[in-house]
DNA sequence: TGCACGATTCTCT
DNA sequence: GAGAATCGTGCAA
């Protein structure tokens, strides 16, 4: 853990927040389950600036979370758990908080959610939509079949970040409070947080208008649209 | 059992 | 900006 924190610090030396990260290095801890047991919108905003890490057989990749979306429980018509729908696919949403909900979409891609919320058993989650790479960019580029180098196209979308981080169905239901996949605490972001509507939920009636998408203002790795 | 579709991305124009 | 890619999942019959 401590060793890897140093790797992160070195990797983001060029980042304008690097000095803050280094100063807070000693405080770097994997976020515990209690973090995810807060109100889901609180978790969605609090995750901004935190470091998603995946220690895989290919090597370790890590990225600073810069964009999230909150999906509330049965009342939220945009959520997979809308109307209390409980299926094989979304079963993990009904379990413990702080677990990965990875689903397959469009026959090609995966998306990573983290279960969260302050009501046990209520199926809520936070979709991770974009990260800013801080370690293992070469591995990410190889997985994304892109030229090496820090490139926004590496991770500026929910399925792009899954490809870059090596996240697939295998990580579904995994606890993200312990290696190999976890989220490290980090200093609160300096950037302003933008609140806007969620993407790709036009089917959700009035719920599509909720400002439950959050991202760091002017961050280059925020997904387009 | 069969069908419609999706919390997306990529390529082509 | 438009359309294609591609298949697991959910739901109706």
């Amino acid at each position: 853990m401590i060793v890897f924190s140093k790797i992160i610090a070195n990797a983001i030396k060029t980042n304008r927040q690097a000095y803050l990260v280094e100063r807070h290095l000693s405080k770097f801890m994997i976020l515990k389950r209690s973090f995810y047991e807060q109100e889901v919108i609180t978790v969605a905003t609090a995750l901004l600036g935190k470091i998603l890490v995946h220690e895989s057989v290919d090597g370790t990749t890590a990225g600073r979370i810069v964009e999230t979306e909150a999906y509330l429980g049965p009342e939220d018509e945009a959520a997979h758990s809308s109307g209390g729908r409980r299926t094989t696919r979304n079963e993990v949403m009904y379990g413990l908080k702080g677990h990965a909900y990875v689903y397959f979409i469009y026959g090609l891609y995966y998306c990573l959610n983290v279960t969260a919320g302050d009501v046990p058993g209520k199926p809520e989650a936070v979709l991770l939509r974009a990260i800013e790479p801080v370690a293992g960019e070469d591995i990410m580029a190889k997985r994304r079949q892109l030229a090496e180098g820090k490139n926004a196209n590496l991770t500026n979308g929910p399925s792009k970040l899954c490809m870059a981080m090596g996240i697939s169905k295998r990580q579904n239901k995994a606890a993200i409070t312990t290696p190999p996949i976890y989220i490290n605490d980090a200093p609160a972001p300096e950037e302003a947080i933008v609140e806007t509507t969620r993407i790709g939920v036009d089917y959700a009636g009035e719920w599509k208008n909720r400002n439950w998408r959050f991202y760091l203002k002017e961050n280059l790795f925020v997904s387009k649209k």
Side-chain angles (χ1 to χ4, degrees):
Chain A
M1 243 290 283
I2 293 172
V3 170
F4 187 65
S5 295
K6 287 179 179 173
I7 293 173
I8 292 176
N10 286 331
I12 63 178
K13 271 209 164 72
T14 55
N15 186 297
R16 59 200 174 90
Q17 282 213 323
Y19 77 98
L20 275 176
V21 171
E22 291 195 13
R23 194 202 303 167
H24 288 81
L25 206 52
S26 61
K27 296 181 182 175
F28 266 34
M29 300 281 285
I30 294 178
L31 295 174
K32 297 187 174 72
R33 188 190 301 163
S34 58
F35 173 88
Y36 304 98
E37 292 173 338
Q38 306 177 80
E39 202 274 328
V40 68
I41 290 175
T42 300
V43 175
T45 54
L47 279 173
L48 295 172
K50 303 290 190 282
I51 309 293
L52 174 67
V53 183
H54 184 202
E55 298 173 6
S56 75
V57 292
D58 301 331
T60 297
T61 48
R64 182 169 175 256
I65 298 168
V66 299
E67 181 181 353
T68 62
E69 283 180 357
Y71 286 86
L72 276 69
E75 67 270 29
D76 181 2
E77 292 180 20
H80 288 172
S81 55
S82 168
R85 184 165 49 209
R86 185 170 186 165
T87 64
T88 307
R89 180 176 70 157
N90 71 3
E91 179 63 31
V92 65
M93 293 182 78
Y94 289 80
L96 292 173
K97 311 305 182 186
H99 283 244
Y101 168 38
V102 182
Y103 66 89
F104 189 57
I105 189 167
Y106 294 107
L108 293 167
Y109 305 112
Y110 293 97
C111 292
L112 170 64
N113 293 253
V114 181
T115 59
D118 58 351
V119 181
K122 189 177 181 190
E124 301 177 304
V126 175
L127 171 67
L128 304 187
R129 285 195 58 87
I131 60 172
E132 178 179 356
V134 296
E137 291 97 328
D138 53 336
I139 299 171
M140 293 185 187
K142 191 171 292 182
R143 286 173 176 155
R144 294 274 293 121
Q145 298 184 310
L146 296 171
E148 287 193 20
K150 201 166 177 176
N151 175 347
N153 195 33
L154 273 180
T155 53
N156 63 348
S159 298
K160 291 179 184 179
L161 82 83
C162 283
M163 286 185 260
M165 295 289 290
I167 292 167
S168 68
K169 202 74 181 175
R170 285 193 300 278
Q171 282 71 40
N172 189 38
K173 299 185 178 180
I176 59 160
T177 47
T178 179
I181 183 168
Y182 53 94
I183 297 174
N184 265 353
D185 201 0
E190 288 184 324
E191 303 99 312
I193 293 174
V194 178
E195 300 181 14
T196 184
T197 53
R198 295 171 291 183
I199 288 175
V201 294
D202 288 345
Y203 56 83
E206 62 178 83
W207 294 87
K208 74 179 181 185
N209 299 318
R210 303 299 169 104
N211 290 330
W212 289 341
R213 176 185 176 213
F214 308 95
Y215 64 85
L216 297 180
K217 192 174 183 180
E218 296 179 0
N219 187 285
L220 295 175
F221 289 82
V222 168
S223 66
K224 307 298 181 217
K225 291 186 187 177

